[in-house]
Coordinates of all heavy atoms in Angstrom, one line a residue:
M18 N -19.6 27.6 -33.3 CA -20.2 27.4 -32.0 C -19.2 28.0 -30.9 O -19.7 28.5 -29.9 CB -20.4 26.0 -31.7 CG -21.5 25.3 -32.5 SD -23.1 26.1 -32.5 CE -23.6 26.0 -30.8
L19 N -17.9 28.0 -31.2 CA -17.0 28.5 -30.2 C -17.3 29.9 -29.9 O -17.3 30.3 -28.7 CB -15.5 28.3 -30.7 CG -14.4 29.0 -29.9 CD1 -14.5 28.5 -28.5 CD2 -13.1 28.8 -30.5
K20 N -17.5 30.8 -30.9 CA -17.7 32.2 -30.7 C -19.0 32.4 -29.9 O -19.0 33.2 -29.0 CB -17.9 32.9 -32.1 CG -18.1 34.4 -31.9 CD -18.1 35.1 -33.2 CE -18.3 36.6 -33.0 NZ -18.3 37.3 -34.3
H21 N -20.0 31.6 -30.2 CA -21.3 31.7 -29.4 C -21.0 31.5 -27.9 O -21.5 32.3 -27.1 CB -22.3 30.7 -29.9 CG -23.5 30.5 -29.0 ND1 -24.5 31.4 -29.0 CD2 -23.7 29.5 -28.1 CE1 -25.4 30.9 -28.1 NE2 -24.9 29.8 -27.6
Y22 N -20.3 30.4 -27.6 CA -20.1 30.1 -26.2 C -19.1 31.1 -25.5 O -19.2 31.4 -24.4 CB -19.6 28.7 -26.0 CG -20.6 27.6 -26.3 CD1 -20.5 26.8 -27.4 CD2 -21.7 27.5 -25.5 CE1 -21.5 25.8 -27.6 CE2 -22.7 26.6 -25.7 CZ -22.6 25.7 -26.8 OH -23.6 24.8 -27.1
R23 N -18.1 31.6 -26.3 CA -17.2 32.6 -25.8 C -17.9 33.9 -25.5 O -17.7 34.4 -24.4 CB -16.1 32.8 -26.8 CG -15.1 33.9 -26.4 CD -14.0 34.1 -27.5 NE -14.5 34.5 -28.8 CZ -14.9 35.7 -29.1 NH1 -15.0 36.7 -28.2 NH2 -15.3 36.0 -30.3
V24 N -18.7 34.3 -26.4 CA -19.4 35.6 -26.2 C -20.4 35.4 -25.0 O -20.6 36.3 -24.2 CB -20.1 36.0 -27.5 CG1 -21.1 37.2 -27.2 CG2 -19.1 36.4 -28.5
D25 N -21.1 34.3 -24.9 CA -22.0 34.0 -23.9 C -21.3 34.1 -22.5 O -22.0 34.5 -21.5 CB -22.6 32.6 -24.0 CG -23.8 32.3 -23.1 OD1 -24.7 33.1 -23.1 OD2 -23.7 31.3 -22.4
K26 N -20.0 33.8 -22.4 CA -19.3 33.9 -21.2 C -18.7 35.3 -21.0 O -17.9 35.6 -20.1 CB -18.2 32.9 -21.1 CG -18.7 31.5 -21.0 CD -19.1 31.2 -19.6 CE -19.5 29.7 -19.4 NZ -19.9 29.4 -18.1
D27 N -19.0 36.2 -22.0 CA -18.5 37.6 -22.0 C -17.0 37.6 -22.0 O -16.3 38.4 -21.3 CB -19.0 38.3 -20.7 CG -19.0 39.9 -20.9 OD1 -19.1 40.3 -22.1 OD2 -18.8 40.6 -19.9
L28 N -16.4 36.8 -22.9 CA -14.9 36.8 -23.0 C -14.6 37.2 -24.4 O -15.2 36.9 -25.4 CB -14.4 35.3 -22.9 CG -14.6 34.7 -21.5 CD1 -14.2 33.2 -21.6 CD2 -13.7 35.4 -20.5
T29 N -13.5 38.0 -24.5 CA -12.9 38.4 -25.8 C -12.1 37.2 -26.3 O -11.8 36.3 -25.5 CB -12.1 39.6 -25.7 OG1 -10.9 39.3 -24.9 CG2 -12.8 40.8 -25.1
Q30 N -11.7 37.2 -27.5 CA -10.8 36.2 -28.0 C -9.5 36.2 -27.2 O -8.9 35.2 -26.9 CB -10.5 36.4 -29.5 CG -11.6 36.2 -30.4 CD -11.3 36.4 -31.9 OE1 -10.4 37.2 -32.2 NE2 -12.1 35.9 -32.8
N31 N -9.0 37.4 -26.9 CA -7.8 37.5 -26.1 C -7.9 36.9 -24.7 O -7.1 36.3 -24.2 CB -7.4 39.0 -26.0 CG -6.0 39.2 -25.4 OD1 -5.0 38.5 -25.8 ND2 -5.8 40.1 -24.5
D32 N -9.1 37.2 -24.1 CA -9.4 36.6 -22.7 C -9.3 35.1 -22.8 O -8.7 34.5 -21.9 CB -10.8 37.0 -22.2 CG -10.9 38.5 -22.0 OD1 -9.9 39.2 -21.7 OD2 -12.1 39.0 -22.0
L33 N -10.0 34.5 -23.8 CA -10.1 33.1 -23.9 C -8.7 32.5 -24.1 O -8.3 31.5 -23.5 CB -11.0 32.6 -24.9 CG -11.2 31.1 -25.1 CD1 -11.6 30.4 -23.8 CD2 -12.2 30.8 -26.3
A34 N -7.9 33.2 -25.0 CA -6.6 32.7 -25.4 C -5.7 32.7 -24.1 O -5.0 31.7 -23.9 CB -6.0 33.6 -26.4
K35 N -5.8 33.7 -23.3 CA -5.0 33.8 -22.1 C -5.4 32.7 -21.1 O -4.5 32.0 -20.5 CB -5.1 35.1 -21.4 CG -4.4 36.2 -22.1 CD -4.5 37.5 -21.3 CE -3.8 38.7 -22.1 NZ -4.0 40.0 -21.4
K36 N -6.7 32.4 -21.0 CA -7.1 31.4 -20.0 C -6.7 30.0 -20.5 O -6.4 29.1 -19.7 CB -8.6 31.4 -19.9 CG -9.1 32.6 -19.1 CD -10.7 32.6 -19.0 CE -11.2 33.8 -18.2 NZ -11.0 33.6 -16.8
V37 N -6.7 29.8 -21.8 CA -6.3 28.5 -22.4 C -4.8 28.3 -22.5 O -4.3 27.2 -22.5 CB -7.1 28.3 -23.7 CG1 -6.7 27.0 -24.4 CG2 -8.6 28.3 -23.5
G38 N -4.1 29.4 -22.6 CA -2.7 29.4 -22.8 C -2.2 29.2 -24.2 O -1.2 28.6 -24.5
I39 N -3.0 29.9 -25.1 CA -2.6 29.8 -26.6 C -2.7 31.3 -27.1 O -3.1 32.2 -26.4 CB -3.5 28.9 -27.4 CG1 -5.0 29.4 -27.3 CG2 -3.4 27.5 -27.0 CD1 -5.9 28.6 -28.2
A40 N -2.2 31.5 -28.3 CA -2.2 32.8 -28.9 C -3.6 33.2 -29.4 O -4.4 32.4 -29.8 CB -1.3 32.8 -30.2
T41 N -3.9 34.5 -29.3 CA -5.2 35.0 -29.7 C -5.4 34.7 -31.2 O -6.6 34.4 -31.6 CB -5.2 36.6 -29.5 OG1 -4.9 36.8 -28.2 CG2 -6.5 37.1 -29.9
I42 N -4.4 34.7 -32.0 CA -4.6 34.4 -33.4 C -5.1 33.0 -33.6 O -5.9 32.7 -34.5 CB -3.3 34.6 -34.3 CG1 -3.6 34.5 -35.8 CG2 -2.2 33.7 -33.9 CD1 -3.7 35.7 -36.5
T43 N -4.7 32.1 -32.7 CA -5.2 30.7 -32.8 C -6.7 30.6 -32.6 O -7.4 29.9 -33.3 CB -4.4 29.8 -31.8 OG1 -3.0 29.9 -32.1 CG2 -4.8 28.4 -31.9
I44 N -7.2 31.3 -31.6 CA -8.6 31.4 -31.3 C -9.3 31.9 -32.5 O -10.4 31.4 -32.9 CB -8.9 32.2 -30.0 CG1 -8.3 31.6 -28.8 CG2 -10.4 32.5 -29.9 CD1 -9.0 30.3 -28.4
R45 N -8.8 33.0 -33.1 CA -9.4 33.7 -34.2 C -9.5 32.7 -35.4 O -10.6 32.5 -36.1 CB -8.6 34.9 -34.6 CG -9.3 35.7 -35.7 CD -8.5 37.0 -36.0 NE -8.3 37.8 -34.8 CZ -7.1 38.2 -34.4 NH1 -6.0 37.9 -35.1 NH2 -6.9 38.8 -33.3
K46 N -8.4 31.9 -35.6 CA -8.4 31.0 -36.8 C -9.4 29.8 -36.5 O -10.0 29.3 -37.4 CB -7.0 30.5 -37.0 CG -6.1 31.5 -37.7 CD -4.7 30.9 -38.0 CE -3.9 31.9 -38.7 NZ -2.6 31.4 -39.1
I47 N -9.5 29.4 -35.3 CA -10.4 28.3 -34.9 C -11.8 28.8 -35.2 O -12.7 28.1 -35.8 CB -10.2 27.8 -33.5 CG1 -8.9 27.1 -33.3 CG2 -11.3 26.9 -33.1 CD1 -8.4 26.8 -31.9
E48 N -12.1 30.0 -34.7 CA -13.5 30.5 -34.9 C -13.8 30.7 -36.3 O -15.0 30.6 -36.7 CB -13.6 31.9 -34.1 CG -13.8 31.7 -32.6 CD -14.1 33.0 -31.9 OE1 -14.2 34.1 -32.5 OE2 -14.3 32.9 -30.7
N49 N -12.9 31.1 -37.1 CA -13.1 31.4 -38.6 C -13.0 30.1 -39.4 O -13.2 30.1 -40.6 CB -12.1 32.4 -39.1 CG -12.3 33.8 -38.5 OD1 -13.4 34.1 -38.2 ND2 -11.3 34.6 -38.5
G50 N -12.8 28.9 -38.8 CA -12.7 27.7 -39.5 C -11.4 27.5 -40.3 O -11.3 26.6 -41.2
Q51 N -10.4 28.3 -40.0 CA -9.2 28.2 -40.7 C -8.2 27.2 -40.1 O -7.2 26.8 -40.7 CB -8.4 29.6 -40.8 CG -9.2 30.6 -41.5 CD -8.6 32.0 -41.4 OE1 -8.0 32.3 -40.4 NE2 -8.7 32.8 -42.4
R52 N -8.6 26.8 -38.9 CA -7.8 25.8 -38.2 C -8.6 25.0 -37.2 O -9.6 25.5 -36.6 CB -6.7 26.6 -37.4 CG -5.8 25.8 -36.6 CD -4.7 26.6 -35.9 NE -3.9 25.8 -35.1 CZ -2.8 26.1 -34.6 NH1 -2.4 27.4 -34.7 NH2 -2.0 25.3 -33.9
N53 N -8.3 23.7 -37.1 CA -9.0 22.9 -36.1 C -8.1 22.8 -34.8 O -6.9 22.8 -34.9 CB -9.2 21.5 -36.6 CG -10.3 21.4 -37.6 OD1 -11.2 22.2 -37.6 ND2 -10.2 20.4 -38.5
P54 N -8.7 22.9 -33.6 CA -7.9 22.8 -32.4 C -7.4 21.3 -32.2 O -8.0 20.4 -32.7 CB -8.9 23.1 -31.3 CG -10.2 22.7 -31.9 CD -10.1 22.9 -33.3
S55 N -6.3 21.2 -31.6 CA -5.8 19.9 -31.2 C -6.8 19.4 -30.1 O -7.5 20.2 -29.5 CB -4.4 20.0 -30.6 OG -4.4 20.7 -29.4
N56 N -6.7 18.1 -29.8 CA -7.5 17.6 -28.7 C -7.2 18.3 -27.4 O -8.2 18.6 -26.6 CB -7.3 16.1 -28.6 CG -8.0 15.3 -29.6 OD1 -8.9 15.7 -30.3 ND2 -7.5 14.0 -29.9
K57 N -6.0 18.5 -27.1 CA -5.6 19.2 -25.9 C -6.2 20.6 -25.8 O -6.7 21.0 -24.8 CB -4.0 19.2 -25.8 CG -3.5 19.8 -24.5 CD -2.0 19.8 -24.5 CE -1.4 20.5 -23.3 NZ 0.1 20.4 -23.3
T58 N -6.1 21.3 -26.9 CA -6.6 22.7 -26.9 C -8.1 22.7 -26.8 O -8.7 23.5 -26.1 CB -6.1 23.4 -28.2 OG1 -4.7 23.5 -28.1 CG2 -6.7 24.8 -28.3
A59 N -8.8 21.8 -27.5 CA -10.2 21.7 -27.5 C -10.7 21.4 -26.1 O -11.7 21.9 -25.6 CB -10.7 20.6 -28.5
R60 N -10.0 20.5 -25.4 CA -10.3 20.2 -24.0 C -10.2 21.4 -23.1 O -11.1 21.6 -22.3 CB -9.5 19.0 -23.5 CG -9.8 18.6 -22.1 CD -9.1 17.2 -21.8 NE -9.1 16.9 -20.4 CZ -10.2 16.6 -19.7 NH1 -11.4 16.6 -20.3 NH2 -10.1 16.4 -18.4
K61 N -9.1 22.1 -23.2 CA -8.9 23.3 -22.4 C -10.0 24.3 -22.7 O -10.5 24.9 -21.7 CB -7.5 23.9 -22.7 CG -6.3 23.1 -22.1 CD -5.0 23.8 -22.4 CE -3.8 23.1 -21.9 NZ -2.6 23.9 -22.2
I62 N -10.3 24.5 -23.9 CA -11.4 25.5 -24.3 C -12.7 25.0 -23.7 O -13.4 25.8 -23.1 CB -11.5 25.6 -25.8 CG1 -10.3 26.4 -26.3 CG2 -12.8 26.4 -26.2 CD1 -10.1 26.4 -27.9
S63 N -13.0 23.7 -23.8 CA -14.3 23.2 -23.3 C -14.4 23.4 -21.8 O -15.4 23.7 -21.2 CB -14.5 21.8 -23.7 OG -13.7 20.9 -23.1
L64 N -13.3 23.1 -21.1 CA -13.3 23.2 -19.6 C -13.4 24.7 -19.2 O -14.1 25.0 -18.3 CB -12.0 22.7 -19.0 CG -11.8 21.1 -19.1 CD1 -10.4 20.7 -18.7 CD2 -12.9 20.5 -18.2
T65 N -12.8 25.6 -19.9 CA -12.8 27.0 -19.7 C -14.2 27.6 -19.9 O -14.7 28.4 -19.1 CB -11.8 27.8 -20.5 OG1 -10.5 27.3 -20.3 CG2 -11.9 29.3 -20.3
L66 N -14.9 27.1 -20.9 CA -16.2 27.6 -21.3 C -17.4 26.8 -20.6 O -18.5 27.2 -20.7 CB -16.4 27.6 -22.8 CG -15.5 28.5 -23.5 CD1 -15.7 28.4 -25.0 CD2 -15.7 30.0 -23.1
G67 N -17.0 25.7 -19.9 CA -18.0 24.9 -19.2 C -19.0 24.1 -20.2 O -20.1 23.9 -19.8
Q68 N -18.5 23.7 -21.3 CA -19.2 23.0 -22.3 C -18.5 21.7 -22.7 O -17.2 21.7 -22.5 CB -19.5 23.8 -23.6 CG -20.2 25.1 -23.3 CD -21.7 24.9 -22.8 OE1 -22.4 24.0 -23.3 NE2 -22.1 25.8 -21.9
T69 N -19.1 20.8 -23.3 CA -18.4 19.6 -23.8 C -17.7 20.0 -25.2 O -18.1 20.9 -25.9 CB -19.3 18.4 -24.0 OG1 -20.3 18.7 -25.0 CG2 -20.0 18.0 -22.7
M70 N -16.7 19.2 -25.5 CA -16.1 19.4 -26.8 C -17.0 19.3 -28.0 O -16.9 20.0 -28.9 CB -14.8 18.5 -27.0 CG -13.7 18.8 -26.0 SD -12.1 18.0 -26.2 CE -12.5 16.3 -26.6
D71 N -17.9 18.3 -27.9 CA -18.8 18.1 -29.0 C -19.9 19.2 -29.1 O -20.4 19.4 -30.2 CB -19.5 16.7 -29.1 CG -20.3 16.4 -27.8 OD1 -19.8 16.6 -26.7 OD2 -21.4 15.9 -28.0
E72 N -20.1 19.9 -28.1 CA -21.0 21.1 -28.1 C -20.4 22.2 -28.8 O -21.0 22.9 -29.6 CB -21.5 21.5 -26.7 CG -22.5 20.5 -26.1 CD -22.8 20.8 -24.7 OE1 -21.9 21.2 -23.9 OE2 -23.9 20.6 -24.3
I73 N -19.1 22.5 -28.5 CA -18.4 23.6 -29.0 C -17.9 23.3 -30.4 O -17.9 24.2 -31.3 CB -17.2 24.0 -28.1 CG1 -17.7 24.4 -26.7 CG2 -16.3 25.1 -28.7 CD1 -16.6 24.6 -25.7
F74 N -17.5 22.1 -30.7 CA -16.9 21.7 -32.0 C -17.6 20.5 -32.5 O -17.1 19.4 -32.7 CB -15.4 21.3 -31.8 CG -14.6 22.4 -31.1 CD1 -14.2 22.2 -29.8 CD2 -14.2 23.6 -31.8 CE1 -13.4 23.2 -29.2 CE2 -13.5 24.5 -31.1 CZ -13.0 24.3 -29.8
P75 N -18.9 20.7 -32.9 CA -19.7 19.5 -33.3 C -19.2 18.9 -34.6 O -19.4 17.7 -34.9 CB -21.1 20.1 -33.5 CG -20.9 21.6 -33.7 CD -19.7 21.9 -32.9
D76 N -18.6 19.7 -35.5 CA -18.1 19.2 -36.8 C -16.8 18.5 -36.6 O -16.3 17.8 -37.6 CB -18.0 20.3 -37.8 CG -17.2 21.5 -37.3 OD1 -17.1 21.7 -36.1 OD2 -16.6 22.2 -38.1
I77 N -16.2 18.5 -35.5 CA -14.9 17.9 -35.3 C -15.0 16.7 -34.4 O -14.5 15.6 -34.6 CB -13.8 18.9 -34.6 CG1 -13.6 20.1 -35.6 CG2 -12.5 18.2 -34.4 CD1 -12.8 21.2 -34.9
F78 N -15.7 16.8 -33.3 CA -15.9 15.8 -32.3 C -17.3 15.2 -32.4 O -18.3 15.9 -32.0 CB -15.6 16.3 -30.9 CG -14.2 16.8 -30.8 CD1 -13.9 18.1 -30.9 CD2 -13.2 15.9 -30.6 CE1 -12.6 18.6 -30.8 CE2 -11.9 16.4 -30.5 CZ -11.6 17.7 -30.6
L79 N -17.5 14.0 -32.9 CA -18.8 13.5 -33.2 C -19.4 12.7 -32.1 O -19.7 11.5 -32.3 CB -18.7 12.7 -34.5 CG -18.2 13.4 -35.7 CD1 -18.0 12.5 -36.9 CD2 -19.1 14.6 -36.1
L80 N -19.5 13.3 -30.9 CA -20.2 12.6 -29.8 C -21.6 13.1 -29.8 O -22.0 13.8 -28.9 CB -19.5 12.9 -28.5 CG -18.0 12.4 -28.4 CD1 -17.4 12.9 -27.1 CD2 -18.0 10.9 -28.5
S81 N -22.4 12.7 -30.8 CA -23.7 13.1 -30.9 C -24.6 12.5 -29.9 O -24.3 11.6 -29.2 CB -24.3 12.8 -32.3 OG -24.5 11.4 -32.4
N82 N -25.8 13.1 -29.7 CA -26.8 12.5 -28.7 C -27.1 11.1 -29.1 O -27.3 10.3 -28.2 CB -28.1 13.4 -28.7 CG -27.8 14.7 -28.1 OD1 -27.0 14.8 -27.2 ND2 -28.6 15.7 -28.4
D83 N -27.2 10.8 -30.4 CA -27.4 9.4 -30.8 C -26.3 8.4 -30.3 O -26.6 7.4 -29.7 CB -27.5 9.2 -32.3 CG -28.8 9.9 -32.9 OD1 -29.7 10.1 -32.1 OD2 -28.8 10.2 -34.0
T84 N -25.1 8.8 -30.4 CA -24.0 8.0 -29.9 C -24.0 7.9 -28.4 O -23.8 6.8 -27.9 CB -22.6 8.7 -30.3 OG1 -22.6 8.8 -31.8 CG2 -21.5 7.8 -29.9
K85 N -24.3 9.0 -27.7 CA -24.4 8.9 -26.3 C -25.6 8.0 -25.8 O -25.4 7.2 -24.9 CB -24.7 10.3 -25.7 CG -23.5 11.2 -25.8 CD -23.8 12.6 -25.3 CE -22.6 13.5 -25.6 NZ -23.0 14.9 -25.2
S86 N -26.7 8.0 -26.5 CA -27.8 7.2 -26.1 C -27.5 5.7 -26.4 O -27.9 4.8 -25.6 CB -29.1 7.6 -26.8 OG -29.1 7.4 -28.2
I87 N -26.8 5.5 -27.5 CA -26.4 4.1 -27.8 C -25.5 3.5 -26.7 O -25.6 2.4 -26.2 CB -25.8 4.0 -29.2 CG1 -26.8 4.2 -30.2 CG2 -25.1 2.6 -29.4 CD1 -26.2 4.4 -31.6
K88 N -24.5 4.4 -26.3 CA -23.6 4.0 -25.2 C -24.3 3.7 -23.9 O -24.1 2.8 -23.2 CB -22.5 5.0 -25.0 CG -21.5 5.0 -26.1 CD -20.4 6.1 -25.8 CE -19.4 6.1 -26.9 NZ -18.4 7.1 -26.7
N89 N -25.3 4.6 -23.6 CA -26.1 4.4 -22.4 C -26.9 3.1 -22.4 O -27.0 2.4 -21.4 CB -27.0 5.6 -22.1 CG -26.3 6.8 -21.7 OD1 -25.2 6.7 -21.1 ND2 -26.8 8.0 -21.9
K90 N -27.5 2.8 -23.6 CA -28.3 1.6 -23.7 C -27.4 0.3 -23.6 O -27.8 -0.7 -23.0 CB -29.0 1.5 -25.1 CG -30.1 2.5 -25.2 CD -30.8 2.4 -26.5 CE -31.9 3.5 -26.6 NZ -32.4 3.5 -28.0
M91 N -26.1 0.4 -24.0 CA -25.2 -0.7 -23.9 C -24.8 -1.0 -22.5 O -24.5 -2.1 -22.2 CB -24.0 -0.4 -24.8 CG -24.3 -0.4 -26.3 SD -22.9 0.0 -27.3 CE -21.8 -1.4 -27.1
K92 N -24.8 0.0 -21.7 CA -24.5 -0.1 -20.2 C -25.5 -0.9 -19.5 O -25.3 -1.5 -18.5 CB -24.2 1.2 -19.6 CG -23.0 1.9 -20.0 CD -22.8 3.2 -19.3 CE -21.6 4.0 -19.8 NZ -21.5 5.3 -19.2
H93 N -26.8 -0.8 -19.9 CA -27.9 -1.4 -19.2 C -28.2 -2.8 -19.6 O -28.2 -3.4 -20.4 CB -29.2 -0.5 -19.3 CG -29.0 0.9 -18.8 ND1 -28.6 1.1 -17.5 CD2 -29.0 2.1 -19.4 CE1 -28.5 2.4 -17.3 NE2 -28.7 3.0 -18.4

């Protein structure tokens, strides 16, 4: 999903890496599934791309719609 959102914002791997403050190879490895981002890096990427962490990294951050709806129901 990272690549999809990155390309949607018309960013290269190098562009995103510079904006986030990490190495281009790190972005490449995250996109290829060779590495998981730290929480800090995932947050920076999500803020840069304007998406939530669970949208960009659904297999890592399990804040599914079901979980969100359960939390919303608990508030009411």
Side-chain angles (χ1 to χ4, degrees):
M18 296 302 299
L19 172 57
K20 183 176 180 178
H21 167 78
Y22 290 114
R23 175 180 60 76
V24 171
D25 190 52
K26 293 284 186 181
D27 201 29
L28 295 171
T29 65
Q30 289 178 339
N31 190 48
D32 294 335
L33 181 58
K35 284 181 181 178
K36 287 180 179 284
V37 174
I39 60 175
T41 304
I42 187 105
T43 303
I44 295 292
R45 187 174 309 123
K46 286 183 176 185
I47 293 169
E48 284 188 358
N49 291 334
Q51 297 173 329
R52 180 177 179 169
N53 286 335
S55 66
N56 284 338
K57 182 179 178 179
T58 298
R60 180 167 166 71
K61 287 181 179 181
I62 290 171
S63 69
L64 291 171
T65 301
L66 297 178
Q68 303 292 324
T69 63
M70 292 191 313
D71 60 312
E72 288 172 323
I73 298 173
F74 307 106
D76 53 334
I77 300 171
F78 300 98
L79 301 175
L80 297 175
S81 69
N82 288 332
D83 290 339
T84 303
K85 289 177 188 174
S86 67
I87 290 169
K88 287 181 181 180
N89 286 335
K90 288 178 184 176
M91 292 175 70
K92 289 180 183 178
H93 300 300

